[in-house]
Amino acid sequence: MTRRKKIKFGQMLWSVFRFVLIFGLCYIILKPFIIKILAAFMSPNDLLDSAVKWIPKHWSLYYWKHAFERLSLSTAGVLSLCLSLIAALIQMMVSTMVGYGLARFKFRGRNLLFALVIFIMIVPSQVYSISQYLNFRYFGVGDASISLINTEWPIYILSFCGLGTKQCVYIYLMREFFQGLPIDLENAATVDGASVMGTFFRIVLPNAVTMMVTVFLFAFCWQWTDTYFSSMYFTNRMTLAQIPSNESIMRIGTTIAGFDKTGTTIAQNAAAILVILPLVGLAVICQKFLVQSISQSGLAN
Amino acid sequence: MIATRKKNRRVSLEQRRARYGYLFTLPFILGAVFFIRNMVQTFIFSINETVMNSSGYTLEWSGFQYYVKAFTQDTKFVQYVVSSLGELLVQVPVIIIFSLFMAMVLNQEFKGRVVARAIFFLPVILSTGIIATVDQGSNLEGIMLFRSALETGEEAAAGMVDFQQLLMSMNFNETLIDIVVSAANGISDIVNSSGIQIFIFLAAFQQISPAVYEAAQVEGCSKWELFWKIIIPMNAKQIIVAAVYTVVDVFTKNDSELFNYIHTMAYEGNQYSYAMAMYIIYAIGLGLMLGIVLAVVYGLIRKSDGERR
């Protein structure tokens, strides 16, 4: 009897501890976003009021409106959308292909190629960014070179070569997935006379759909929020993600004397929130799906 | 006669499979060639006196003087490399242990589990890229706290204002403040970089059949033994994936002191060759480190695997 009581007490203690832990950690994760969102709801007059710290006194949409206007959806928005969609599509297809090739075929240099996947994953792109930039600035051979800067091509070419943002991680995941997939199905198809390509398109791909969608979503999100590569390859055009960090675009007119910088920072953060808003929706919707597909990835055995 | 023909056919089948292997990996073979070319070019920049101008760049042989300089004259560089590699050695195990623990907690039944999971997943998408860039420019939290001081001209403090100064202004002991601040920053760093790992483990736990736990409990297995002898070995592969991913994530964050230092050297000091030499040294150090981390993780797993048998 006492033992059972002890266990029950222990369980209660644990669930209290668990609640505190999860609540605290969620607070740590969400706090910066809550601050950004609340600040953007302030009216300009609230900035003058030193009694207002985090929670606005006079709620207003002033900063949201300003941020939304500066985002120029018709140019930057369209560019970002096209770029993210096409790059994610290319990355998904290439990662699937290469992952399958590395997992299922034996050929000379396979291990070397896989070692390179790992190595490229860990080498920060800053290391070779200047020579990569020069390659696209003077694309071609000798005098017949053209500049691909300010076009979408550098990002598409990198995606096609498996060098897109974090793309080696997808190749790695895909390889793990295909290694975990039972080979019997493919063998059966081969015995029935299907060609390698036929097997790939009709047997392998349908089995890999969830994994491919996962890769697509990640690739889309990371391309959408990317500022590093975009700022390197786009100098006179801008993607949506580049705008919030650009102070001169986001500068808010001195509506209230002396509160220029604070207002600009609030507008910048509001714009950043607006840019990632579609992704948050996506993450919440896909969260369950993602767990399922990672567990299918054959990462377990 | 028949035997040789059979043998020939088998070889040709293997060769055909190999050819398909090349075909499937062709895009990445191109990528690998491109990558190696970039690395070689970076290396060439580092052993030459590189001057950038409007029509490209000019090279002038200078040998390995920049490598020597990095180790002998530049005190900051060595210090930054050691501290950033040391940070990695601490962060990788902490992140992995933390995400294993969090995955176990999030795997239990409780109210609001779906919401909690969604929140833990958010940093995967949000903590990189745009939010980090905006925060780097100017920290809203600090600005909101000290906005009147900021706008009346104490501009110098703008980047610095934060939690630390708040504590300072409340007259706390200075060493105490340092400990509290670094712990608080550390926790949020770790939580924000464990998103994917938590999900990898969560997915793995859901694949372990409940019957295994039940059997272990019936056999009188303690929770500790359950963890070390069942959960860890059954998730060995995920631990490696998570370790690799963590190393990648920690290493490629672009807000480290080292990268800022090299970046300033390249773009403000116009010392491209020196910057390239430092990058190369860093990349080599990185390769060695990853080798060590992987070897240790493999070793641990093999050990616990051996114990199981």
Side-chain angles (χ1 to χ4, degrees):
Chain A
M1 193 65 191
T2 43
R3 190 158 177 253
R4 197 185 287 167
K5 251 185 186 166
K6 223 174 175 178
I7 291 177
K8 221 174 172 187
F9 180 70
Q11 269 178 351
M12 226 173 70
L13 210 67
W14 167 244
S15 60
V16 169
F17 173 72
R18 185 176 60 198
F19 174 77
V20 172
L21 182 80
I22 290 179
F23 191 81
L25 291 176
C26 286
Y27 173 72
I28 288 179
I29 294 172
L30 291 179
K31 188 183 152 211
F33 298 105
I34 295 173
I35 288 177
K36 287 178 212 302
I37 292 170
L38 282 180
F41 274 116
M42 288 187 185
S43 74
N45 284 323
D46 278 356
L47 296 186
L48 285 170
D49 188 347
S50 58
V52 176
K53 267 228 157 76
W54 306 120
I55 299 167
K57 209 181 239 170
H58 308 281
W59 295 72
S60 99
L61 289 175
Y62 178 81
Y63 291 109
W64 291 114
K65 267 186 198 148
H66 175 80
F68 188 73
E69 278 162 16
R70 298 299 159 99
L71 280 177
S72 60
L73 291 182
S74 59
T75 53
V78 170
L79 175 66
S80 262
L81 194 65
C82 291
L83 204 62
S84 307
L85 274 179
I86 296 175
L89 212 61
I90 298 174
Q91 288 189 17
M92 176 187 81
M93 292 192 297
V94 169
S95 309
T96 311
M97 258 174 71
V98 175
Y100 185 70
L102 285 173
R104 280 287 189 263
F105 300 99
K106 276 203 181 97
F107 52 91
R108 201 175 288 166
R110 180 176 75 156
N111 291 334
L112 179 74
L113 217 55
F114 183 61
L116 268 169
V117 172
I118 306 273
F119 189 66
I120 295 175
M121 246 182 349
I122 59 154
V123 173
S125 47
Q126 285 94 331
V127 170
Y128 50 88
S129 62
I130 290 185
S131 37
Q132 200 169 66
Y133 173 82
L134 288 172
N135 272 324
F136 289 117
R137 175 67 187 78
Y138 305 100
F139 193 78
V141 193
D143 290 334
S145 68
I146 47 165
S147 166
L148 292 183
I149 303 303
N150 287 320
T151 67
E152 292 93 330
W153 286 109
I155 287 173
Y156 295 160
I157 291 172
L158 287 176
S159 299
F160 180 76
C161 292
L163 299 176
T165 328
K166 299 201 190 192
Q167 198 177 347
C168 283
V169 177
Y170 311 144
I171 296 178
Y172 184 87
L173 279 176
M174 276 296 180
R175 176 183 172 271
E176 297 288 308
F177 169 73
F178 285 124
Q179 278 194 335
L181 206 66
I183 200 167
D184 307 347
L185 223 58
E186 288 157 62
N187 283 344
T190 314
V191 169
D192 284 347
S195 66
V196 173
M197 282 302 177
T199 317
F200 180 67
F201 283 110
R202 285 167 49 195
I203 310 287
V204 177
L205 283 192
N207 276 307
V209 166
T210 38
M211 201 57 201
M212 285 166 73
V213 174
T214 309
V215 167
F216 179 83
L217 288 175
F218 274 121
F220 183 86
C221 291
W222 273 322
Q223 183 60 48
W224 183 265
T225 60
D226 169 68
T227 50
Y228 182 75
F229 286 104
S230 319
S231 62
M232 197 147 64
Y233 297 124
F234 293 101
T235 49
N236 63 13
R237 297 162 75 189
M238 274 198 171
T239 63
L240 216 48
Q242 277 174 272
I243 293 177
S245 54
N246 190 318
E247 249 190 272
S248 56
I249 291 185
M250 295 311 300
R251 178 152 310 247
I252 208 154
T254 28
T255 41
I256 293 167
F259 276 82
D260 189 23
K261 173 133 175 88
T262 311
T264 307
T265 308
I266 291 177
Q268 278 183 296
N269 282 282
I273 295 283
L274 283 177
V275 172
I276 58 171
L277 206 58
L279 301 185
V280 178
L282 213 62
V284 173
I285 294 167
C286 300
Q287 180 261 135
K288 204 167 180 187
F289 172 80
L290 289 177
V291 173
Q292 273 172 1
S293 81
I294 290 177
S295 72
Q296 275 186 16
S297 71
L299 292 174
N301 323 306
Chain B
M1 190 63 189
I2 293 164
T4 47
R5 199 190 290 159
K6 253 188 183 165
K7 202 178 168 192
N8 277 341
R9 234 179 109 196
R10 210 183 65 215
V11 169
S12 88
L13 183 69
E14 266 174 22
Q15 278 174 344
R16 219 166 49 198
R17 295 277 300 173
R19 235 171 274 157
Y20 274 112
Y22 289 120
L23 185 70
F24 274 102
T25 50
L26 184 66
F28 187 70
I29 293 175
L30 289 178
V33 171
F34 192 52
F35 171 79
I36 291 168
R37 196 177 160 245
N38 284 335
M39 288 303 276
V40 169
Q41 201 170 20
T42 305
F43 181 67
I44 290 174
F45 284 155
S46 75
I47 54 171
N48 283 287
E49 192 65 56
T50 312
V51 180
M52 300 279 173
N53 52 37
S54 55
S55 62
Y57 54 88
T58 56
L59 296 175
E60 199 182 309
W61 174 256
S62 69
F64 286 91
Q65 64 165 37
Y66 288 115
Y67 289 85
V68 177
K69 185 183 167 190
F71 282 112
T72 55
Q73 288 168 30
D74 195 334
T75 48
K76 271 187 185 162
F77 173 68
V78 176
Q79 185 197 326
Y80 286 154
V81 168
V82 169
S83 77
S84 104
L85 293 183
E87 213 170 278
L88 180 90
L89 268 189
V90 177
Q91 277 195 1
V92 172
V94 169
I95 288 175
I96 289 174
I97 291 166
F98 173 78
S99 16
L100 254 175
F101 176 71
M102 275 329 289
M104 287 205 287
V105 172
L106 289 174
N107 201 26
Q108 295 177 339
E109 292 283 340
F110 59 90
K111 267 184 198 164
R113 189 171 73 159
V114 177
V115 179
R117 282 185 184 177
I119 292 173
F120 273 89
F121 189 67
L122 278 184
V124 175
I125 297 170
L126 305 184
S127 67
T128 51
I130 175 173
I131 295 285
T133 320
V134 168
D135 280 345
Q136 242 176 17
S138 43
N139 177 6
L140 182 71
E141 205 177 329
I143 285 182
M144 288 312 287
L145 275 179
F146 292 89
R147 57 180 183 269
S148 45
L150 176 79
E151 300 288 356
T152 49
E154 288 169 41
E155 193 79 42
M160 299 278 293
V161 284
D162 56 8
F163 181 55
Q164 199 166 357
Q165 287 203 341
L166 182 74
L167 289 183
M168 293 272 211
S169 65
M170 287 153 84
N171 285 329
F172 273 114
N173 182 311
E174 219 165 289
T175 36
L176 198 71
I177 292 174
D178 278 346
I179 294 171
V180 170
V181 167
S182 66
N185 286 342
I187 290 173
S188 89
D189 267 359
I190 285 162
V191 176
N192 279 322
S193 40
S194 322
I196 287 241
Q197 291 87 331
I198 291 176
F199 271 73
I200 291 175
F201 291 135
L202 207 53
F205 292 161
Q206 287 175 355
Q207 288 214 319
I208 299 177
S209 137
V212 175
Y213 295 117
E214 228 166 83
Q217 259 172 359
V218 169
E219 299 279 343
C221 184
S222 73
K223 287 235 161 111
W224 183 248
E225 284 170 325
L226 190 77
F227 181 76
W228 281 108
K229 298 194 169 160
I230 294 178
I231 295 180
I232 293 279
M234 283 188 89
N235 293 310
K237 214 167 176 189
Q238 286 86 337
I239 293 174
I240 293 175
V241 173
V244 170
Y245 185 83
T246 311
V247 174
V248 177
D249 207 38
V250 173
F251 263 61
T252 49
K253 268 185 194 145
N254 28 0
D255 56 352
S256 79
E257 263 180 337
L258 181 70
F259 282 149
N260 286 339
Y261 178 65
I262 302 180
H263 194 83
T264 350
M265 198 61 99
Y267 291 95
E268 282 159 38
N270 266 334
Q271 291 184 297
Y272 288 103
S273 304
Y274 187 37
M276 295 299 113
M278 291 194 283
Y279 274 141
I280 295 272
I281 294 170
Y282 183 67
I284 291 170
L286 208 70
L288 290 177
M289 279 287 291
L290 187 77
I292 294 168
V293 170
L294 279 184
V296 168
V297 173
Y298 267 112
L300 278 179
I301 284 161
R302 202 163 288 163
K303 202 179 146 216
S304 72
D305 227 17
E307 272 173 12
R308 189 166 53 140
R309 268 169 206 150

